[in-house]
Amino acid sequence: MIMIDSLTSCEDIKNMADVLKAEVNKNIVGLEDLIDSLTISVLVGGHVLIEGFPGTGKTFLASLFGQSIEINSNRIQSTSDLMPSDITGTQIYNPKLKEFEFRPGPVFSNFVIVDEINRAPPKTQSALLECMQERQVSVEGITQKLDEPFMVIATKNSIELEGTYPLPEAQLDRFLFRLIVPYPDEQNETEIIRRKIKSLPDLTPQISKSVINDGKSLIHSNVKAEKNIIQYVSDLVLHTSNLPKVVLGASPRAAVALLYAAKGYAAVTEGRTYVLPDDVKAVAFDVLNHRLILRQDALLDLGDTDNNSAIIYLQKLIKECIDDVPVPI
């Protein structure tokens, strides 16, 4: 297969996304929607938090996605003793030159996988804030720009609490999506076992680095959102503050993220040059679910049949929000 190295239209973006999904699907089963979301994120300049139970393929998915694109990729394994300089880099004395020189850390890459991000202490987590928002690194008073495209994919286990640190709201708000990886159904689990018995095929980069930058420019300039769509996005985000059991609703950054994600969804899944309300609805949960702060007694509203899950409660709240806000005509 010939590598895709140019894009000229939103239809080309959809074709590129289909090629990328087909390549990743050679080694992973049943996560097509998540692959689309990763594609949307890298094309609109976002970052992704992947959350799920241990063993559901979070890091594997992130790694496969990175291998399918011809870009530089680094992986950071979060631990309790990880230091900020282990991420950003530090000044090292060079005895030959008799001066200090900067040794870049793993964040100086196009694609950074931060595995089990909540195992890193708060001081180290904060080293990612500037990288994710301003796409730059400041060390010893010197600021350096990161190469584009730049994307952080962080993974987080849903149930492991020992030796972990909560992610601050300011950091959560910098992720475009929080994607929830479910347990596979019976058919997919059988297919996973069958594939693991065999040797998995090698992945070959299908997309060049320049294509990602081209796709980003195409989406932001060619995919149009009319005034009524922008108003709809604004109304949805504002209404999150009025939801029951919500202490703090989504921020203005969330509104921008929701619009960008909807534009990406229109291009990646349909090859469209305009945004529909259904595009906004399709990405609303993944964009908003990590940005709402619930009251401590929120989960008491759930019965035993609802599995007492915060994710299920958030799904209900965001569905209520979508149902309450009038759809523009």
Side-chain angles (χ1 to χ4, degrees):
M1 185 179 291
I2 300 174
M3 181 180 294
I4 299 173
D5 57 9
S6 65
L7 297 175
T8 59
S9 67
C10 287
E11 188 61 37
D12 289 343
I13 292 177
K14 181 182 184 303
N15 294 336
M16 180 213 71
D18 290 342
V19 169
L20 195 58
K21 184 157 51 176
E23 187 67 16
V24 176
N25 275 336
K26 290 179 181 178
N27 290 294
I28 207 158
V29 179
L31 299 180
E32 287 81 1
D33 290 345
L34 273 69
I35 299 170
D36 279 341
S37 295
L38 289 171
T39 305
I40 291 167
S41 185
V42 74
L43 288 175
V44 302
H47 310 288
V48 175
L49 176 63
I50 305 178
E51 185 171 326
F53 297 118
T56 48
K58 301 180 297 296
T59 307
F60 188 44
L61 171 62
S63 178
L64 290 175
F65 187 77
Q67 291 174 41
S68 300
I69 305 173
E70 194 181 43
I71 53 177
N72 297 323
S73 178
N74 281 326
R75 182 175 180 271
I76 300 169
Q77 180 61 55
S78 300
T79 58
S80 58
D81 59 351
L82 190 72
M83 298 295 291
S85 58
D86 295 329
I87 293 177
T88 60
T90 188
Q91 297 279 0
I92 301 292
Y93 184 72
N94 187 327
K96 290 184 179 180
L97 300 176
K98 296 183 179 180
E99 62 183 22
F100 284 91
E101 62 181 19
F102 180 67
R103 293 283 180 86
V107 78
F108 283 88
S109 180
N110 299 118
F111 193 82
V112 182
I113 301 171
V114 186
D115 198 24
E116 296 186 291
I117 187 172
N118 56 328
R119 293 200 176 279
K123 184 177 181 180
T124 304
Q125 288 183 25
S126 66
L128 289 167
L129 296 180
E130 182 183 16
C131 308
M132 295 171 69
Q133 184 64 29
E134 282 84 23
R135 285 170 160 70
Q136 64 185 29
V137 174
S138 298
V139 177
E140 302 289 339
I142 299 174
T143 299
Q144 300 188 56
K145 288 289 184 181
L146 296 169
D147 188 30
E148 290 288 349
F150 175 71
M151 181 180 181
V152 172
I153 297 184
T155 69
K156 178 176 177 289
N157 286 329
S158 299
I159 60 171
E160 293 187 84
L161 298 177
E162 188 174 348
T164 63
Y165 304 85
L167 271 65
E169 283 70 26
Q171 185 165 20
L172 285 171
D173 204 33
R174 281 167 167 78
F175 287 104
L176 178 71
F177 293 133
R178 179 174 72 157
L179 306 177
I180 309 299
V181 182
Y183 269 133
D185 58 25
E186 182 178 354
Q187 181 180 352
N188 285 335
E189 181 133 19
T190 303
E191 178 63 17
I192 291 169
I193 297 170
R194 188 186 68 80
R195 290 194 186 188
K196 285 295 183 181
I197 293 173
K198 302 179 180 179
S199 58
L200 294 175
D202 294 330
L203 260 68
T204 308
Q206 302 294 320
I207 315 296
S208 69
K209 176 180 174 180
S210 62
V211 162
I212 300 300
N213 290 325
D214 290 346
K216 184 176 179 181
S217 298
L218 274 171
I219 287 174
H220 287 304
S221 61
N222 288 17
V223 181
K224 305 300 181 184
E226 299 296 334
K227 289 182 180 179
N228 60 341
I229 296 294
I230 294 174
Q231 186 62 52
Y232 181 55
V233 169
S234 176
D235 291 344
L236 277 176
V237 171
L238 288 172
H239 191 61
T240 60
S241 299
N242 301 324
L243 293 172
K245 305 292 180 148
V246 171
V247 175
L248 191 64
S251 68
R253 183 190 285 138
V256 175
L258 184 55
L259 179 61
Y260 283 2
K263 292 174 74 170
Y265 185 87
V268 166
T269 64
E270 299 290 339
R272 255 191 285 107
T273 58
Y274 54 91
V275 179
L276 296 174
D278 284 347
D279 301 325
V280 178
K281 293 178 183 180
V283 296
F285 177 74
D286 290 338
V287 172
L288 298 175
N289 73 78
H290 55 297
R291 292 180 158 99
L292 307 182
I293 300 178
L294 303 180
R295 284 171 45 179
Q296 291 185 346
D297 62 342
L299 296 186
L300 295 178
D301 289 350
L302 290 174
D304 293 337
T305 57
D306 288 320
N307 198 27
N308 200 31
S309 165
I311 297 300
I312 291 176
Y313 191 72
L314 284 167
Q315 287 173 337
K316 285 186 172 184
L317 286 181
I318 294 171
K319 185 179 183 304
E320 279 181 30
C321 183
I322 292 171
D323 291 343
D324 291 346
V325 176
V327 177
I329 299 175

